[in-house]
Amino acid sequence: MTAETAPPVPEWQPTACILCACNCGIEVQVAENEIARVKGDRAHPGSKGYACEKAQRLPYYQRNPRITSPLRRRPDGTFEEVDWDTATAEVAGRLAAIRDEHGGETIFYYGGGGQGNHLGGAYSGATRSALGSRFSSNALAQEKTGELWIDAHMFGRVAHTAPDFEHAEVAVFVGKNPWMSHGFPHARPTLKAIAGDPERALIVIDPRRTETAELADIHLQVKPGHDAHLLAALLAILADEDWLDRAFLEEHAANYERILAAVEDVDIAAYCRVADVPEQLVREAARRIGAAESVSILEDLGIQQAPNSTLNSYLEKLIWALTGNFARPGCTNLHTQFSPNGLFGRSRESRRTTPGTGERVIGGMFPAAAIPEAILTDDPARFRGAIVESSNPVHSLPDSQRMREAMAALDFSVVIDITMTETAQCADFVLPALTQYEKYECTFFNLEFPVNVFHLRAPVLAGPEGPLGEPEIHRRLVRALGAIGDDDLDGLREAAREGLDAYAAAFGARMAERPHLLPLATVALYETLGPELPDGAAAAAALWGSAQMCAASFPDSLRRAGFEGDGTALGNALFEAALTSRHGVVFSVDEHDANWRWIAAGRESGRIDLGIDELIDELESLDWEPGAADPEYPFVLSAGERRSNTAMTLIRDPSWRKRDPEGALRISTADAEALALADGDVVDLVTARGRCRAPVETTDAMRAGHLALPNGYGISFGAGGPVTGVAPNELTDGTRRDPVAGTPWHKHVPARIEKVEAG
Ligand SMILES: Nc1nc2c(c(=O)[nH]1)N[C@H]1C(S)=C(S)[C@@H](COP(=O)(O)OP(=O)(O)OC[C@H]3O[C@@H](n4cnc5c(=O)[nH]c(N)nc54)[C@H](O)[C@@H]3O)O[C@H]1N2
Ligand SMILES: Nc1nc2c(c(=O)[nH]1)N[C@H]1C(S)=C(S)[C@@H](COP(=O)(O)OP(=O)(O)OC[C@H]3O[C@@H](n4cnc5c(=O)[nH]c(N)nc54)[C@H](O)[C@@H]3O)O[C@H]1N2
Ligand code: SF4
Ligand SMILES: [Mo]
């Protein structure tokens, strides 16, 4: 082929990986409207070229079987296609009827974004407000609400922390396997650097010898569900051997007397024994932490979805707090946020409680595991309508069977998704959305310190006819609900044409004049500023409000990142940079002193509050066997382990997995021998809520008595298509959950195994 006839080499286009919350910057080459090649984006200021192997499999996300028309359920249970005008009018009408008869608070909202798509969720606030809906939730209320509740208690207003493993002398992971699940930038190179440096140490607390534990200097192979004992013993040793930073506590902490006394009362030997970890090894870990110049700690699902989960988070945070590993390089730090609602800034408990169960609502999030109970109850405030967006709760909430019953008991439900999910199959209406490579998108998981990054992605593929972006879906619903009047937005578009300064003035004045528009602001921005944004970026209009909020909350941090101006001008500068930086933009840079200013801004004393009486009570009355042993179910099952071939339910084509297509049940070599099981043998896994069949993988990395099933399996490839592997929540029980935050014990499911005889 000559140079003239060779097809042009497609250019590399910047975007991001959406398969975990790291959202590494990537570049893709597109051929025939498909992602053909993927590589890490060196120009991305956060990930700087890093991407793991999963990013290579993103084309499979794009190949999910698509819904291309709104679908309405017929009386016989099947779906029929309807046009958008019919769909919008009927969905708005059905939800409005529930609101008018029972009150908007009986309509709940679930989701609003997966790992990388939070822009749609920003617009959903307008729809919810138009309906008077007050309860919402998402996956965070199955994992992080306990931790967020403690953060809010400790810090007050700016209340979410970032570890700094890049600079930490000692890194500790509690119920977290970052080699597989990531969770912080450059996870694998950072872990290797720590493991390879004799001056630094890696400590892992996990019942399984995970890929991360393989690299560790110290692995505390705790008995499942006994982290509270282990962490309490570790704290007791730190106190007993005088490793606490008393000067730090004196200067910066409050209310630590009672928790210190409780920790000092712990019987170290007995607690190590019940956690089944040698006391000497726990002492070694405590000494390594105590002697270190800097320590960073990260907890995750292994304790957040297990007995005592909120107490575990409290004890985990006390490790760095009592040793003064805060507000310094290599330690825990607070961080800025660029998001529409201060995602983690409002993590306090609200005065609302859940209908039916009366539980806490933390950070505005309804305890996800309690949703079926809040539907299947006689409480007059019970949920009757649901909007589910970018989430698959029938698959991801505990007890799928009960969630299906709950969906069927609703007066009306609508699902907004790209594909026919398990949840969509239970809905009354399904609205098709564009994928994250066909529209403008962004993530609000910007959770880093001292440098924080925001990335607006532009579409790289053309979407099919039919699906819409979520901002447009919400605009139509809000308009159909009549929440924005004909003259409400008059003149704003003209102001936008004059520039952002004129727009800021006009928009501010309109909101002050008509405060009922404030909760509808994202849709108002989309309709007035949106059309004036370059390159069809109307969906990014809501970010103008986020940028203003970010500038108002963190002006010094933005200035250090190079943004200039005061008031709305500073926000405008950030917005323009976010809009035009295709590889992501550094929006804030901080010094470690900022931590103390942020605490002082929300709390006069400027101190970290370490006393949480409710959890100290729980510690003082800790059971030896949390989660109650039942002889009928002698094993503890971790239902939903992260492996290199899992990505929640983002990819449905089973052929994306080159290994382990069925999702093996991991079992210890000792248990396998006792049950005469070999690799590949098929077993029935039985719990109080279900029975599932899976092949086994025997391994000496598991503790005896512990089993693990992967997450993300057990979904169909297209509605009615084949289902591969076990859906973990066919086995779990939503009533087994944390008393403080309601987080379900997915990692601690009592189970038994029955061997399936060949043939
Ligand atoms: N490859 C991949 N990566 C992902 C995801 C994915 O689906 N696939 N999902 C993303 C999401 S949504 C999240 S929230 C994160 C989760 O990331 P992780 O929390 O790291 O993931 P898990 O594998 O579910 O659980 C972590 C560890 O908890 C351990 N564990 C089980 N029981 C106990 C216990 O009683 N005590 C202790 N200490 N540990 C226990 C397990 O052995 C496991 O190694 O991963 C993200 N990254
Ligand atoms: N047993 C057990 N259960 C668990 C866990 C466990 O470890 N064990 N882990 C829990 C955790 S930590 C999490 S985070 C949750 C995850 O559970 P969910 O929050 O339900 O998240 P996903 O499975 O990622 O579902 C994302 C949905 O978004 C859709 N989607 C993708 N892109 C778009 C888009 O651009 N627009 C729209 N509208 N939709 C889109 C996908 O098709 C998919 O249906 O599961 C929880 N459930
Ligand atoms: S670490 Fe997460 S975001 Fe980064 S490439 Fe891997 S799966 Fe994608
Ligand atoms: Mo998660």
Side-chain angles (χ1 to χ4, degrees):
M1 232 187 280
T2 66
E4 287 100 285
T5 58
V9 177
E11 58 181 313
W12 289 99
Q13 302 182 63
T15 178
C17 174
I18 54 149
L19 296 179
C20 88
C22 286
N23 300 121
C24 298
I26 55 170
E27 291 190 289
V28 297
Q29 276 183 340
V30 171
E32 292 171 23
N33 205 39
E34 285 200 32
I35 296 175
R37 294 180 70 194
V38 178
K39 66 176 184 188
D41 180 4
R42 286 171 194 274
H44 189 279
S47 57
K48 298 180 183 136
Y50 179 78
C52 79
E53 75 284 355
K54 281 201 299 171
Q56 294 301 329
R57 288 176 264 176
L58 279 169
Y60 286 96
Y61 160 76
Q62 191 59 32
R63 273 178 234 147
N64 278 314
R66 298 293 290 280
I67 322 162
T68 50
S69 160
L71 300 175
R72 176 173 63 193
R73 187 181 292 282
R74 295 193 190 97
D76 71 1
T78 59
F79 284 102
E80 63 189 336
E81 296 191 351
V82 294
D83 62 63
W84 271 105
D85 285 344
T86 307
T88 315
E90 285 194 22
V91 169
R94 296 282 299 271
L95 290 169
I98 296 177
R99 173 195 62 194
D100 296 342
E101 196 178 342
H102 304 287
E105 64 278 9
T106 65
I107 300 169
F108 85 97
Y109 175 87
Y110 194 85
Q115 303 292 307
N117 57 320
H118 299 151
L119 203 47
Y123 288 92
S124 74
T127 303
R128 285 184 274 156
S129 157
L131 288 165
S133 163
R134 296 176 66 216
F135 287 109
S136 68
S137 195
N138 58 54
L140 288 171
Q142 284 204 68
E143 42 173 329
K144 300 285 174 284
T145 32
E147 179 180 15
L148 296 177
W149 184 72
I150 293 165
D151 281 336
H153 186 104
M154 286 172 76
F155 298 109
R157 197 168 64 94
V158 176
H160 186 261
T161 58
D164 177 7
F165 293 115
E166 195 185 337
H167 302 104
E169 182 183 325
V170 171
V172 186
F173 296 99
V174 192
K176 168 84 196 164
N177 179 16
W179 185 268
M180 275 308 164
S181 65
H182 292 81
F184 58 93
H186 311 114
R188 288 177 185 170
T190 306
L191 291 169
K192 276 202 230 160
I194 300 170
D197 185 342
E199 307 291 317
R200 301 169 78 189
L202 182 60
I203 300 175
V204 171
I205 301 181
D206 197 304
R208 185 167 81 86
R209 198 174 69 244
T210 60
E211 295 75 4
T212 312
E214 289 280 3
L215 293 172
D217 297 273
I218 302 176
H219 176 203
L220 305 177
Q221 202 168 358
V222 62
K223 185 173 174 191
H226 289 71
D227 294 85
H229 303 87
L230 178 63
L231 294 169
L234 191 78
L235 286 165
I237 296 165
L238 288 168
D240 183 50
E241 298 192 4
D242 211 14
W243 292 111
L244 303 189
D245 189 339
R246 304 268 173 185
F248 175 88
L249 293 175
E250 189 99 345
E251 190 182 349
H252 294 300
N255 299 325
Y256 51 87
E257 298 77 10
R258 196 183 153 209
I259 181 63
L260 268 190
V263 160
E264 281 162 5
D265 276 348
V266 162
D267 180 341
I268 296 169
Y271 275 48
C272 291
R273 208 177 312 119
V274 73
D276 200 21
V277 183
E279 181 182 335
Q280 254 334 95
L281 204 57
V282 186
R283 285 197 183 267
E284 203 186 306
R287 285 171 197 150
R288 194 62 192 88
I289 290 169
E293 182 57 34
S294 58
V295 180
S296 270
I297 310 184
L298 188 60
E299 60 164 73
D300 214 337
L301 304 184
I303 59 170
Q304 293 176 343
Q305 298 183 337
N308 307 116
S309 44
T310 305
L311 173 61
N312 288 335
S313 297
Y314 181 42
L315 299 174
E316 176 268 304
K317 284 165 196 293
L318 285 169
I319 296 176
W320 58 254
L322 295 178
T323 54
N325 282 295
F326 178 73
R328 288 189 289 110
C331 298
T332 292
N333 290 279
L334 296 164
H335 60 79
T336 57
Q337 293 169 72
F338 181 164
S339 87
N341 46 14
L343 195 57
F344 299 122
R346 51 181 183 121
S347 306
R348 251 164 262 143
E349 183 180 339
S350 72
R351 266 183 302 261
R352 272 172 280 163
T353 54
T354 60
T357 56
E359 273 162 284
R360 282 193 169 94
V361 173
I362 296 171
M365 287 175 273
F366 190 94
I371 288 171
E373 284 159 70
I375 298 170
L376 300 167
T377 166
D378 296 335
D379 190 320
R382 74 172 182 274
F383 292 155
R384 297 167 191 267
I387 305 171
V388 176
E389 175 170 3
S390 194
S391 194
N392 188 6
V394 166
H395 175 88
S396 61
L397 291 186
D399 202 341
S400 298
Q401 191 187 320
R402 193 150 158 82
M403 187 58 196
R404 282 188 293 266
E405 277 165 39
M407 289 290 291
L410 289 167
D411 295 356
F412 181 74
S413 59
V414 55
V415 168
I416 303 170
D417 206 295
I418 60 167
T419 188
M420 205 62 192
T421 66
E422 288 63 31
T423 310
Q425 291 172 40
C426 299
D428 296 305
F429 248 99
V430 187
L431 302 179
L434 292 168
T435 72
Q436 297 175 53
Y437 297 100
E438 297 164 349
K439 65 191 173 204
Y440 277 88
E441 253 311 349
C442 68
T443 169
F444 295 117
F445 287 142
N446 36 57
L447 312 172
E448 300 301 322
F449 182 94
V451 173
N452 215 348
V453 172
F454 177 82
H455 188 188
L456 175 70
R457 290 120 54 185
V460 295
L461 301 174
E465 236 7 79
L468 296 174
E470 290 84 350
E472 179 61 24
I473 295 175
H474 289 294
R475 183 193 75 78
R476 293 181 184 202
L477 288 173
V478 165
R479 283 294 187 169
L481 288 162
I484 294 181
D486 283 342
D487 60 344
D488 276 339
L489 307 181
D490 279 356
L492 291 179
R493 193 153 169 199
E494 290 70 20
R497 245 169 250 151
E498 284 172 48
L500 286 178
D501 290 334
Y503 185 76
F507 191 82
R510 184 63 47 85
M511 293 296 133
E513 240 168 67
R514 304 187 185 187
H516 73 276
L517 289 176
L518 258 179
L520 306 165
T522 50
V523 165
L525 287 164
Y526 177 78
E527 287 203 12
T528 57
L529 178 60
E532 301 307 318
L533 297 177
D535 307 320
L543 296 175
W544 181 81
S546 313
Q548 295 302 344
M549 264 184 277
C550 183
S553 308
F554 307 104
D556 300 339
S557 316
L558 265 60
R559 290 203 183 94
R560 230 178 266 106
F563 299 104
E564 289 170 8
D566 291 302
T568 52
L570 185 62
N572 286 343
L574 172 57
F575 176 65
E576 293 214 30
L579 198 61
T580 52
S581 316
R582 285 288 167 268
H583 300 268
V585 59
V586 170
F587 71 91
S588 71
V589 177
D590 281 291
E591 281 157 9
H592 290 82
D593 278 356
N595 285 285
W596 300 117
R597 281 200 307 281
W598 291 334
I599 297 173
R603 178 182 285 159
E604 213 182 318
S605 73
R607 288 170 179 271
I608 308 176
D609 187 339
L610 296 183
I612 306 184
D613 283 330
E614 184 176 347
L615 295 176
I616 302 173
D617 293 343
E618 187 176 331
L619 175 64
E620 287 177 337
S621 56
L622 203 55
D623 279 343
W624 277 153
E625 259 317 319
D630 178 344
E632 236 197 288
Y633 302 107
F635 287 93
V636 170
L637 167 70
S638 273
E641 181 174 85
R642 271 65 187 163
R643 299 183 185 168
S644 95
N645 53 10
T646 70
M648 285 70 63
T649 64
L650 286 167
I651 299 177
R652 288 184 172 265
D653 180 351
S655 73
W656 84 282
R657 299 188 170 106
K658 305 299 171 223
R659 284 190 53 248
D660 197 19
E662 297 289 324
L665 174 73
R666 287 184 172 149
I667 180 169
S668 73
T669 320
D671 288 327
E673 267 169 30
L675 293 166
L677 290 171
D679 277 336
D681 282 356
V682 174
V683 296
D684 273 347
L685 188 58
V686 187
T687 71
R689 294 298 298 155
R691 173 184 286 268
C692 294
R693 194 159 284 194
V696 301
E697 175 191 323
T698 66
T699 162
D700 65 359
M702 297 289 292
R703 280 182 61 107
H706 193 203
L707 305 170
L709 268 181
N711 74 319
Y713 282 75
I715 54 177
S716 64
F717 189 36
V723 174
T724 359
V726 173
N729 288 311
E730 299 296 340
L731 296 166
T732 56
D733 178 351
T735 62
R736 288 170 53 84
R737 58 180 189 254
D738 184 66
V740 180
T743 35
W745 298 346
H746 291 315
K747 302 291 178 227
H748 203 89
V749 184
R752 79 167 172 267
I753 289 178
E754 294 172 7
K755 189 170 176 178
V756 177
E757 297 306 332

